[in-house]
Amino acid sequence: MAVAKNPNKKPLDNRSTRFIMIALLVILAISIFYSFGNINAPEELDNSTFISLLEKGGVTSVEVSPLSGETNYRAYKVTGRLLDNARYITYFANDTEFDEARSVIYQINNNAIPADDINYVFTPGATYNILNIIFPIILVAGVVIMLVVMMRGGTNANKQAFDFGKSRAQISKNQQTTFNDVAGADEEKAELQEIIDFLKNPKKYLELGARIPKGVLLVGPPGTGKTLIARAVAGEAKVPFYFVSGSDFLEMFVGVGASRVRDMFKTAKAHAPCILFIDEIDAVGRQRGTGLGGGHDEREQTLNQLLVEMDGFGHNSGVIIIAATNRVDILDPALMRPGRFDRQVYVGRPDIKGRREILQVHSRNKKINPNVTFQEIARRTPGFTGADLENLMNEAALLAARENKTQIELSHIDEAVDRVMMGPAKKSRVFSKKEKDIIAYHEAGHAVIGLKLENASIVHKVTIIPRGQAGGYNLMLPKEEHAFLQTKQNLLEMIIGLLGGRVAEEVIFKEISTGGHNDLQRSTAIARSMITEYGMSERLGPITYEKDSDTVFLGRDYGKSKNFSEAIATEIDKEVRGIIHDCYEKAKVIIEKNIDLLKVIAHYLLEVETLTKEDIDEIVETGKLSRWDNVLASDLVDEKAETKNESETEKTEQKD
């Protein structure tokens, strides 16, 4: 016969359970302290001293406890307090010794001393001793019973200690993100469309004998929207979305990560069809056997379990795994093979069209001036990821709110671009006149090279207002974005443009400063890549001597030796030095040939501090900047009028 459960019965409240637990522990601690503690131990008196104090009235209370359970008590323990409130204790071995003390106590009471001052109490010793033993046992048993109850039906916080091997994956059943929230990734969305269709209509694929990819690996730089795309897939398919980080599997105890992997897949299978998203999978999926001085057993066991669950003896029907990483080069080959991650989708930086669409998505809830075009903003932000563009629009909104504006203007967006790329402007920084002149001519040198080289980038903005660690800032954008290829001439002119600032300093001031150190680093890196990676050296030929060393994986790359000799290394250094020297000389020729333009741009930079593309075009065509000349003319008229008024006032005063 089944017993119906009471629907009104509620589990123990979290706070009530904690209160009961704490109360029991406090009572237990007090009882142990009271029963076995030795703090403030009473003073032990001998029999004669105790009787003497009784006769002199030095005792205020007496409590007698028999120490034997027999009918005729043979021993006694006497406790109480003295006149100074100090505790005492004494023992009588038999009735004969205690008779004298008893007669003194009776005598004191007969002499009209109040009975409340001296308490003569006989307490059965056996009962007292039994309570001292049983009471702590009862309390300990109560605490144990409470722990068992909490383990079986307590709160989640108390269960965590016993769920150490459980999966940390969280579920989002009603995913609201869709492909409408993903912009600038049309190819990526098309690649994942069939997975959405399979989750909606699996029968169509199964009848044709098609096997949907078990896993999809999203690869790309940080901030390009890999996690957003995974959420959008679940939102489009309307299936449960489990998400977990790769680091959630790893613990200091070996075997915990493997247990969590098993539990995660078990839970996912129970809710199939669903999507299981593992973010930053490189934390657990690194190549095995690459540890310096030994491997990491916990990570390797976790990876082994992940490999088995994805494509082992079992079958994950309806569970599609999507993982994201920006370090695909360090993943284990067994994890990348077909049957586990069948498909890799590269999520790269958006082009100008993608940036425009992303800006439109992040501007839905923002008030922007209708005259602002997203095409112009997208053109000014090459290389920005989706996260950068979201941050850009947020910075623009913050700047508009700071100025108490009702809408975002183009000036706010322009300032936000500079803040995202270089940091906030440091207008309070004090420069000497010579430092300011050097910075102005340095930035003007970059601008002149950009204007005069045919394949050089277009100068969009020049400023001598310091930002970050830079004393000035020159925004130069390419005429056309190069998504994949750069020609040798493009790279050489890029180096010439980087060296233009240093050349301008040398031509004008006959000395050089430390302001171009970043330009030298970038130009040297480009020249070395041309020789060692791109095979653009006529002497060394089309051979790759080095590879990109920005993402070194020590366990794999540390022990590898150079694949070229010391003689080749010397030749590489000579070639790099030759490229830098030739570009430097070409930059010097361009600067000396256009020195008048250099001086005009530097002059207006010192006056207005910031020049836009329109300002630079006007200076190139007319040699002047009308907006500044008009301001000067207006100031001159005001100054003349003020001088005239002062002279007339002086004449009037003289007549008077």
Side-chain angles (χ1 to χ4, degrees):
M1 179 178 178
V3 180
K5 295 183 179 180
N6 185 3
N8 298 323
K9 186 177 180 181
K10 298 181 179 179
L12 288 175
D13 182 68
N14 189 19
R15 293 184 179 179
S16 301
T17 305
R18 289 183 179 178
F19 176 78
I20 295 173
M21 182 73 177
I22 293 173
L24 287 174
L25 291 175
V26 170
I27 294 173
L28 177 61
I30 293 175
S31 64
I32 293 174
F33 177 80
Y34 179 78
S35 301
F36 304 105
N38 198 30
I39 300 176
N40 296 326
E43 180 184 358
E44 187 171 351
L45 305 176
D46 56 31
N47 297 158
S48 59
T49 303
F50 170 68
I51 295 173
S52 176
L53 289 172
L54 276 175
E55 294 175 345
K56 297 178 179 179
V59 177
T60 59
S61 65
V62 176
E63 182 176 348
V64 181
S65 300
L67 296 180
S68 175
E70 299 176 1
T71 305
N72 298 321
Y73 296 116
R74 304 297 298 173
Y76 303 89
K77 179 178 74 174
V78 181
T79 59
R81 293 188 179 273
L82 304 176
L83 280 176
D84 57 358
N85 205 35
R87 297 169 59 195
Y88 71 88
I89 186 171
T90 187
Y91 297 91
F92 292 92
N94 48 54
D95 291 335
T96 305
E97 293 182 357
F98 186 62
D99 285 341
E100 184 178 357
R102 183 186 292 117
S103 62
V104 174
I105 293 171
Y106 288 160
Q107 183 180 359
I108 293 174
N109 284 331
N110 292 334
N111 290 337
I113 296 179
D116 292 337
D117 292 343
I118 298 179
N119 299 319
Y120 181 37
V121 180
F122 280 93
T123 305
T127 304
Y128 178 79
N129 292 334
I130 291 174
L131 286 177
N132 275 353
I133 297 173
I134 294 178
F135 184 65
I137 295 175
I138 294 175
L139 284 176
V140 172
V143 171
V144 172
I145 293 172
M146 180 61 65
L147 286 174
V148 173
V149 172
M150 292 171 66
M151 281 174 12
R152 291 182 177 178
T155 61
N156 292 331
N158 296 319
K159 286 183 179 181
Q160 288 182 357
F162 304 96
D163 293 342
F164 199 59
K166 297 293 184 181
S167 170
R168 296 293 187 264
Q170 302 180 34
I171 186 172
S172 178
K173 291 185 178 180
N174 300 320
Q175 187 58 244
Q176 302 298 324
T177 306
T178 64
F179 278 167
N180 293 329
D181 302 309
V182 181
D186 296 336
E187 293 79 8
E188 291 82 352
K189 290 191 289 187
E191 193 75 11
L192 296 169
Q193 191 64 47
E194 66 183 25
I195 293 178
I196 299 172
D197 191 29
F198 172 80
L199 291 171
K200 289 182 176 180
N201 306 302
K203 184 178 180 181
K204 178 176 67 173
Y205 293 87
L206 296 176
E207 289 178 350
L208 293 173
R211 179 183 63 82
I212 202 68
K214 293 184 178 180
V216 178
L217 184 63
L218 302 178
V219 181
T224 51
K226 299 183 288 295
T227 303
L228 180 65
I229 291 175
R231 289 182 178 275
V233 171
E236 290 286 339
K238 297 181 180 179
V239 295
F241 180 73
Y242 283 90
F243 56 96
V244 66
S245 172
S247 60
D248 288 335
F249 297 108
L250 302 180
E251 294 287 349
M252 65 179 294
F253 304 107
V254 177
V256 174
S259 174
R260 290 178 179 176
V261 171
R262 288 191 295 269
D263 185 70
M264 178 182 67
F265 277 90
K266 179 181 177 182
T267 305
K269 291 175 187 177
H271 293 82
C274 66
I275 289 177
L276 180 58
F277 177 64
I278 305 176
D279 197 10
E280 303 296 344
I281 195 173
D282 52 274
V284 68
R286 293 190 177 189
Q287 294 182 17
R288 291 167 290 182
T290 54
L292 295 176
H296 192 302
D297 292 337
E298 166 62 359
R299 179 181 284 113
E300 292 193 3
Q301 287 196 18
T302 305
L303 175 58
N304 292 339
Q305 187 64 43
L306 182 62
L307 296 175
V308 172
E309 292 290 344
M310 290 186 67
D311 187 24
F313 298 104
H315 183 61
N316 297 324
S317 178
V319 178
I320 294 179
I321 300 144
I322 301 179
T325 181
N326 50 23
R327 293 296 308 274
V328 68
D329 58 309
I330 68 173
L331 293 181
D332 194 271
L335 191 64
M336 306 295 295
R337 74 162 176 81
R340 292 191 174 111
F341 284 114
D342 302 277
R343 185 173 299 176
Q344 290 187 29
V345 178
Y346 182 78
V347 185
R349 300 179 187 273
D351 56 10
I352 186 170
K353 177 177 175 292
R355 292 197 298 273
R356 185 184 70 247
E357 296 174 353
I358 293 173
L359 287 168
Q360 291 174 348
V361 170
H362 292 306
S363 302
R364 290 174 180 172
N365 60 343
K366 294 180 174 61
K367 297 180 180 179
I368 302 176
N369 190 325
N371 296 327
V372 176
T373 61
F374 293 114
Q375 182 69 21
E376 178 63 21
I377 304 172
R379 192 163 58 86
R380 295 188 183 189
T381 53
F384 275 43
T385 64
D388 294 330
L389 294 172
E390 191 277 334
N391 186 35
L392 166 66
M393 296 307 299
N394 185 62
E395 287 287 344
L398 293 175
L399 290 170
R402 188 181 301 173
E403 297 177 5
N404 297 320
K405 300 292 185 180
T406 57
Q407 60 184 5
I408 300 173
E409 304 290 346
L410 182 60
S411 59
H412 301 136
I413 297 176
D414 186 61
E415 173 64 18
V417 172
D418 295 340
R419 291 172 69 92
V420 172
M421 294 182 67
M422 301 293 295
K426 299 181 180 180
K427 298 182 179 180
S428 61
R429 182 177 293 179
V430 179
F431 289 103
S432 65
K433 184 180 183 305
K434 185 175 181 180
E435 282 181 325
K436 200 170 184 180
D437 291 342
I438 292 176
I439 294 173
Y441 277 98
H442 182 101
E443 300 303 331
H446 288 304
V448 170
I449 297 294
L451 290 168
K452 295 304 177 181
L453 283 180
E454 182 180 356
N455 296 321
S457 300
I458 301 174
V459 180
H460 277 259
K461 186 177 183 180
V462 184
T463 179
I464 60 173
I465 298 175
R467 290 181 180 272
Q469 297 181 356
Y473 170 48
N474 199 318
L475 178 61
M476 302 176 68
L477 304 177
K479 297 176 183 178
E480 296 181 357
E481 290 190 24
H482 303 281
F484 300 102
L485 301 178
Q486 288 277 14
T487 65
K488 182 178 180 180
Q489 187 62 29
N490 291 141
L491 295 173
L492 290 174
E493 292 190 358
M494 191 182 299
I495 296 174
I496 295 173
L498 290 170
L499 297 174
R502 183 183 176 94
V503 171
E505 293 180 23
E506 182 181 353
V507 170
I508 297 299
F509 300 101
K510 308 302 179 184
E511 62 179 351
I512 55 178
S513 70
T514 60
H517 71 283
N518 183 254
D519 298 331
L520 294 177
Q521 290 176 355
R522 294 167 60 189
S523 59
T524 303
I526 295 172
R528 190 169 187 87
S529 297
M530 290 174 62
I531 303 302
T532 61
E533 296 182 36
Y534 310 142
M536 293 182 177
S537 171
E538 296 180 0
R539 296 176 58 186
L540 296 176
I543 301 175
T544 298
Y545 293 100
E546 296 177 351
K547 60 181 178 179
D548 186 7
S549 60
D550 292 339
T551 55
V552 174
F553 185 33
L554 291 179
R556 180 191 62 211
D557 302 333
Y558 184 76
K560 290 190 176 182
S561 60
K562 293 182 179 179
N563 55 357
F564 54 86
S565 64
E566 293 297 330
I568 294 296
T570 303
E571 291 296 325
I572 291 173
D573 293 339
K574 289 181 180 179
E575 286 288 300
V576 172
R577 190 182 304 111
I579 290 176
I580 298 296
H581 182 268
D582 292 342
C583 292
Y584 194 90
E585 292 300 321
K586 291 178 181 179
K588 193 171 185 179
V589 171
I590 297 173
I591 292 295
E592 290 176 343
K593 186 177 179 180
N594 299 277
I595 194 167
D596 293 336
L597 178 61
L598 174 73
K599 292 180 178 179
V600 173
I601 294 177
H603 166 72
Y604 283 112
L605 273 176
L606 290 170
E607 297 295 337
V608 301
E609 294 187 334
T610 301
L611 297 176
T612 62
K613 180 179 181 298
E614 293 75 16
D615 295 334
I616 295 173
D617 291 340
E618 183 182 358
I619 292 173
V620 173
E621 293 177 2
T622 65
K624 296 181 180 180
L625 184 61
S626 59
R627 68 180 179 93
W628 176 250
D629 294 337
N630 293 336
V631 171
L632 290 179
S634 176
D635 292 342
L636 183 60
V637 171
D638 294 340
E639 185 178 350
K640 288 181 178 179
E642 185 177 351
T643 304
K644 183 178 179 181
N645 292 333
E646 290 178 355
S647 61
E648 290 178 355
T649 303
E650 290 177 358
K651 291 179 180 179
T652 304
E653 290 177 353
Q654 289 176 359
K655 290 180 180 181
D656 294 340

